[in-house]
Amino acid sequence: MLLICGSTDDRLVQELMSEARRVGLPTELLTETMLFASCPFALRRQGNSVHGFLQRDGQRLDLDALRGVFLRLPRNWWPSADFDLSDRFFVYHETLASWFALLDSLRCPVINRFGLGWWLQDITYSLGLRTSLARALCLQISALEEPDLQAGWPRRSPRAPEVDVVSVYRSGGVTVSVAEAQDVVRHLAASEQALSQWERESGITLSRMDFDRRSGLRLKWVDVSPKVDTEPQDLVHGIATAAIRGVLAGRRAAA
Amino acid sequence: MILYLGSSRDRVYRRFVAELERSGLPFAIVDEDEAVRYTIDFGAGAWRISGGGCEGSRPVGSVFVRHAVARTLDPAVAGPMSRLQIALNRMLLETSCPVVNPPARAYSNYSKPFQLRLLAEAGFDVPMTLITNVPEEALRFHHELQGRVIFKGVSNMMSFAQTWKEEHFTRVGLLPNSPTQFQEFVEGVDYRVHVVGEEAFVTRLTASNEDYRRSALADQEEITAEPAALAPEVIERSIRFTQSLGLVVGGLDFKESATGRLVALELNPFPQFTFYEGRSGQPISRAIVDYLARHQVEETNLYA
């Protein structure tokens, strides 16, 4: 069973479901609200032993039966207005902390295994990832158009439209790109070992990397929840295919 | 110079500032409750904090952080504080100074069951634990442990551990509203181990409640806190565990049963150490100031 947590409006979710169907992998789609507000679960720990289940339509799904999980959560869930404000805060954090622990405990691939900074929408999480990725790729960080950190978390963005910026996707351990990004693809191939290690350590195996090539290649940004709405269909298909292949191969992105 | 980022309303503040004064070392403070007074700039490879007693020109050798907690949702107060903390956290991500503790490395106790996994993997004995929003699972856990169960929050939102008593059965039906953490109740003595670099301070606590913080904070009862000792391997493991999280300071909570079983409950990355040293007399603030003094860097990219 492949669990996809996201929205059917998301083109990548549509493509993942389609590709999973094609290879005969049963899927279950949970929206963010379903996941956080109405999905019964249990997680037990005794020493280093852990087990648990999710419940869907009255059926128990053992956590060990999951082949993979895709997290494409918009992160705008908020508990019911039936609670007063302080209770909503409490329920929000209790729910997130629980699901983080449950997903962390899974032995199957979780794409992506975001750190707690992502769950808490801490902008320094993205900055830290960019710094560590630049180091892994032996690249400098581009000073081009910094995200507006004061305005809050950089939301999922479409592929960078700037002329001097080129973007590629990483999915399931491979680089998926458009034709004009061959210089970036070559650089990533030459850094494959370091890049794979970064993916293992960060838990990020699905991302869009933006590069500035105005004066040599520089890393501009790494988007760990990339929006693909405006991408060509073959590119989205390539990302989904690589991701499903990665799941089937049991690629674990755990740190 | 040592830089202190925190809140003048925090209980740690007064004692810690007194310790900085006692040390005779130069220090500067960013009081996040007065957020509008400060500006943070980055240019020519250096971060500069100005305003509120910071001049933007004195080199900072080490940083101590205990971020303020917004005590109101009023955007006029919470907004500037949040913006200041975002800017400070970004600065801390890139500063060449040692930071005690780096906020970006201090998340693990946001999810207590996640931290329990880390503690178990580090070799600590941890209590049997269930996280669920299913009433039947909670009841089964209670039955299996013959009623010796406590429940507490899953996240780091303030909550007290409580033993599951008869009157709580009626509340089990509310579980689908919010998942809860249930644990086997290990009855015994509480210990707090404060790690500061390679040092550790063990404090034994005695209180009438199962959660000694409830006695002190909610019930206004006095608790006893006294210096104590734990096995050297426990201390060593506590120090290494704290370091493995990327932290310098940590407050680890343990419970020791009458049979000598010692279980680790959690690690607090921003412990309120003055609560303990005020009762036990252990020089924890001094140890932290000494650490900050010893580890100052000469070449810095931070000025205040």
Side-chain angles (χ1 to χ4, degrees), chain A residues 97-163:
Chain A
S98 297
W99 279 103
F100 177 81
L102 186 143
L103 292 165
D104 170 74
S105 76
L106 297 178
R107 284 174 275 271
C108 66
V110 177
I111 301 164
N112 286 317
R113 278 187 188 269
F114 300 111
L116 271 164
W118 180 86
W119 287 79
L120 289 166
Q121 309 206 21
D122 175 359
I123 55 157
T124 61
Y125 174 71
S126 279
L127 293 169
L129 284 177
R130 180 175 64 166
T131 302
S132 59
L133 177 60
R135 198 176 301 130
L137 299 177
C138 299
L139 292 178
Q140 300 228 324
I141 290 172
S142 163
L144 248 187
E145 198 193 19
E146 285 270 312
D148 183 1
L149 300 179
Q150 297 292 338
W153 177 268
R155 294 283 169 187
R156 286 194 295 169
S157 55
R159 200 150 58 96
E162 297 95 325
V163 174

Side-chain angles (χ1 to χ4, degrees), chain B residues 39-300:
Chain B
T39 57
I40 299 168
D41 298 302
F42 180 76
W47 291 90
R48 296 182 189 278
I49 305 175
S50 308
C54 294
E55 300 160 8
S57 57
R58 292 171 295 172
V60 173
S62 58
V63 184
F64 180 74
V65 189
R66 269 182 71 84
H67 277 322
V69 177
R71 290 169 169 80
T72 171
L73 294 174
D74 178 359
V77 178
M81 182 187 286
S82 169
R83 283 192 289 277
L84 176 66
Q85 290 177 342
I86 286 171
L88 289 172
N89 283 349
R90 176 157 196 198
M91 177 193 84
L92 293 174
L93 209 59
E94 296 175 4
T95 184
S96 53
C97 306
V99 179
V100 178
N101 282 324
R105 308 301 300 269
Y107 279 133
S108 69
N109 84 325
Y110 175 75
S111 175
K112 292 182 193 297
F114 164 65
Q115 199 183 59
L116 219 55
R117 192 262 284 177
L118 301 178
L119 286 162
E121 286 179 358
F124 290 106
D125 186 359
V126 298
M128 197 186 301
T129 300
L130 167 72
I131 316 298
T132 193
N133 54 5
V134 182
E136 296 76 23
E137 286 303 304
L139 291 168
R140 183 175 299 138
F141 191 70
H142 184 271
H143 178 72
E144 284 174 18
L145 292 171
Q146 298 170 325
R148 300 186 60 72
V149 172
I150 60 145
F151 60 94
K152 60 185 185 182
V154 188
S155 74
N156 63 354
M157 294 289 280
M158 183 61 183
S159 67
F160 294 119
Q162 296 182 60
T163 50
W164 184 336
K165 295 178 181 150
E166 199 59 34
E167 64 262 32
H168 295 125
F169 278 97
T170 57
R171 296 180 60 79
V172 173
L174 299 173
L175 268 178
N177 290 320
S178 183
T180 299
Q181 179 169 222
F182 299 90
Q183 282 184 331
E184 64 173 313
F185 178 40
V186 179
E187 191 169 10
V189 180
D190 284 293
Y191 289 93
R192 163 57 71 96
V193 176
H194 282 102
V195 170
V196 181
E198 293 286 338
E199 284 184 89
F201 299 87
V202 184
T203 311
R204 182 170 38 231
L205 301 128
T206 313
S208 59
N209 276 296
E210 57 272 19
D211 186 334
Y212 62 85
R213 297 171 311 154
R214 173 184 285 274
S215 295
L217 301 175
D219 297 345
Q220 307 298 316
E221 292 174 1
E222 196 40 60
I223 66 163
T224 305
E226 55 192 349
L230 287 171
E233 59 270 23
V234 173
I235 301 305
E236 179 66 16
R237 192 173 294 141
S238 298
I239 292 170
R240 299 299 155 236
F241 182 67
T242 304
Q243 292 173 346
S244 75
L245 298 179
L247 306 174
V248 174
V249 172
L252 292 98
D253 289 324
F254 293 93
K255 200 101 178 176
E256 188 178 42
S257 74
T259 59
R261 181 187 175 202
L262 186 74
V263 297
L265 301 175
E266 64 180 282
L267 177 145
N268 189 330
F270 294 110
Q272 207 168 84
F273 46 87
T274 52
F275 172 90
Y276 302 86
E277 74 176 6
R279 289 167 173 79
S280 70
Q282 292 163 297
I284 305 170
S285 296
R286 181 166 298 187
I288 297 172
V289 170
D290 287 349
Y291 181 95
L292 291 163
R294 279 200 314 276
H295 290 83
Q296 292 194 79
V297 292
E298 300 265 326
E299 301 245 334
T300 185

Side-chain angles (χ1 to χ4, degrees), chain A residues 47-65:
Chain A
N48 279 311
S49 164
V50 65
H51 64 274
F53 67 84
L54 304 176
Q55 213 165 293
R56 291 302 304 143
D57 302 323
Q59 298 289 310
R60 279 194 178 190
L61 176 62
D62 194 288
L63 295 181
D64 281 337

Side-chain angles (χ1 to χ4, degrees), chain A residues 190-211:
Chain A
S191 314
E192 182 58 39
Q193 201 175 343
L195 182 54
S196 296
Q197 187 176 337
W198 178 83
E199 289 179 332
R200 273 194 307 277
E201 290 174 354
S202 66
I204 304 299
T205 54
L206 176 65
S207 67
R208 194 199 65 237
M209 299 172 184
D210 301 335
F211 296 87

